Amino acid sequence: HIGGGFLSKEVDKKAINAVATMVTKEKPDLVIATGDIAFPSPSAGTINNHSGAKAFANLMESLGVYWDVTFGNHDAEAYSYFDRQAMGNFYEREEFEHCLFQAGPEDVDGYGNHVIEIKNTKGVITQSLVLIDSQAYVDNSLKSTINGIYDNIHENQVQWYENEIKRMNAENEKLGKKNTPVKSLAFFHIPLVEMLDGWNEFTENEFKDTEDFKFLEGIMGEGGKKVYCGLGEDEMFEKMLELDSTKAMFNGHDHLNSTTFEYKGIQFSYGYSIDYLAYGGIDKL
C-alpha cells in the first residue's frame, strides 16, 4: 500500500523500510507480493499508481533479490492513471533484472497469470509457483468499487490453471516422473470463498477443528465478516482438489488477517499487510 504521493511520503518510508528489513533479515531466494503494492488515493495526494509501483520495484532491485507480484484491487483503480495492462507492461521492463513477472496469455482474463517452475538437475519440475490475477471489483463499476464488492477468478483462468498443471505433469512424465502430480503453490490477492467457508465452519464449531478444518497458527484481526472474498462463485478450489497439485495458497487483501489453516487438505495462508496508509497507526500494533 505505497501511496506514492506528497501526502504519503512519511508512511511510504515506513512501508519501504519494513520490506527492506524483512528481506535483509530473512534473505529469501524469492519474494512474492500478493497485491495492492500501490495504493493511489486522495489520502496519498495522488492518483498516479505508477509512482507507488516504481518505489517498490526500485526497492526490490536495490536489495538484489528475485521478486514477483500479483495484482490486487488497489493496484489499478478505476480512477488511477494507469490500467492493469499498463501496470503489467511496467513490471515487465528489462531494467528490473530480478523481476519474474509475466503478463500472461492474452486470451485469458486478467494480467499476471503465469507460472514459475523450479527444477532439479535432471530437469524435473519439483515445485511450481502459480500466480493468478484474482481481479478487482464486480463489473469494475464505481458502485462496486465504493462498496467493496469484489470479483472472483474467472472461468477461463481456472481452465488456464488446469492446462498449466497438466502441461507440467506431461513434461515430468517424459523425464520418468509418472503418476505423480507436480507440486504447486498458488498466489493471488482476493481469497477464495472457500476460505470463508472453512473459517465459518471453525467458528460455528466453537473454534475447534473439524474433519475438514485444521487451525495451524495466526490471528484473524479483521472485524465483521473476517474474510472478504469475491461476491460470486468460481471453480478454482474444486479444480485444485481434482488435480491434487496445489498444496497451499497465499493471499493478501484482508489487512489485519495473518492466519494459516488447512481446509479439505489444502493450506490457506494470509500475508499480514505492510500498510501504514490505509490503516493509520498500524505501526503501533
Side-chain angles (χ1 to χ4, degrees), residues 36-164:
D36 286 0
I37 293 91
F39 183 46
S41 63
S43 59
T46 184
I47 55 174
N48 183 354
N49 48 336
H50 214 203
S51 55
K54 185 177 181 181
F56 180 76
N58 288 340
L59 167 66
M60 297 309 298
E61 288 299 311
S62 71
L63 293 171
V65 63
Y66 286 104
W67 59 280
D68 208 334
V69 302
T70 65
F71 285 138
N73 49 294
H74 290 311
D75 286 298
E77 297 277 16
Y79 54 76
S80 300
Y81 282 177
F82 302 97
D83 61 15
R84 266 168 142 74
Q85 183 176 11
M87 295 308 295
N89 292 337
F90 168 77
Y91 284 119
E92 284 190 310
R93 287 183 180 180
E94 291 184 0
E95 65 190 88
F96 303 138
E97 296 180 5
H98 296 86
C99 183
L100 304 182
F101 179 88
Q102 300 172 44
E106 294 182 359
D107 60 347
V108 178
D109 292 347
Y111 295 92
N113 303 303
H114 64 287
V115 177
I116 300 171
E117 298 174 5
I118 300 167
K119 301 180 179 181
N120 64 17
T121 54
K122 296 180 180 179
V124 174
I125 303 168
T126 58
Q127 182 72 63
S128 61
L129 312 177
V130 183
L131 286 78
I132 305 170
D133 182 357
S134 57
Q135 309 299 327
Y137 307 99
V138 172
D139 301 325
N140 286 321
S141 66
L142 183 60
K143 179 180 178 181
S144 294
T145 301
I146 293 172
N147 294 323
I149 303 174
Y150 302 110
D151 201 356
N152 300 77
I153 295 173
H154 293 180
E155 182 179 349
N156 63 10
Q157 292 178 284
V158 178
Q159 185 61 59
W160 167 83
Y161 164 82
E162 179 178 8
N163 293 343
E164 286 296 294

Side-chain angles (χ1 to χ4, degrees), residues 22-43:
M22 291 172 67
V23 173
T24 301
K25 295 280 188 180
E26 196 67 27
K27 297 180 175 62
D29 298 300
L30 170 67
V31 172
I32 298 179
T34 52
D36 286 0
I37 293 91
F39 183 46
S41 63
S43 59

Side-chain angles (χ1 to χ4, degrees), residues 198-245:
W199 185 254
N200 285 343
E201 183 174 309
F202 179 59
T203 57
E204 290 167 7
N205 196 44
E206 299 180 343
F207 296 93
K208 297 176 183 177
D209 289 352
T210 68
E211 182 178 349
D212 287 334
F213 184 99
K214 181 181 179 182
F215 182 81
L216 298 177
E217 63 179 352
I219 59 169
M220 295 288 268
E222 289 287 338
K225 194 168 62 175
K226 301 292 186 183
V227 176
Y228 292 85
C229 52
L231 177 67
E233 295 280 350
D234 60 65
E235 298 299 315
M236 179 56 76
F237 187 71
E238 289 79 3
K239 188 60 64 176
M240 289 178 173
L241 291 175
E242 175 189 330
L243 297 175
D244 194 28
S245 168

Side-chain angles (χ1 to χ4, degrees), residues 163-211:
N163 293 343
E164 286 296 294
I165 298 300
K166 289 182 175 179
R167 175 189 61 79
M168 290 185 286
N169 287 343
E171 289 185 15
N172 275 358
E173 284 186 11
K174 291 178 181 178
L175 297 172
K177 192 77 171 178
K178 297 182 179 180
N179 303 318
T180 305
V182 64
K183 291 181 181 179
S184 63
L185 306 174
F187 300 82
F188 46 93
H189 184 68
I190 299 173
L192 301 180
V193 67
E194 285 79 10
M195 194 167 200
L196 177 60
D197 292 342
W199 185 254
N200 285 343
E201 183 174 309
F202 179 59
T203 57
E204 290 167 7
N205 196 44
E206 299 180 343
F207 296 93
K208 297 176 183 177
D209 289 352
T210 68
E211 182 178 349

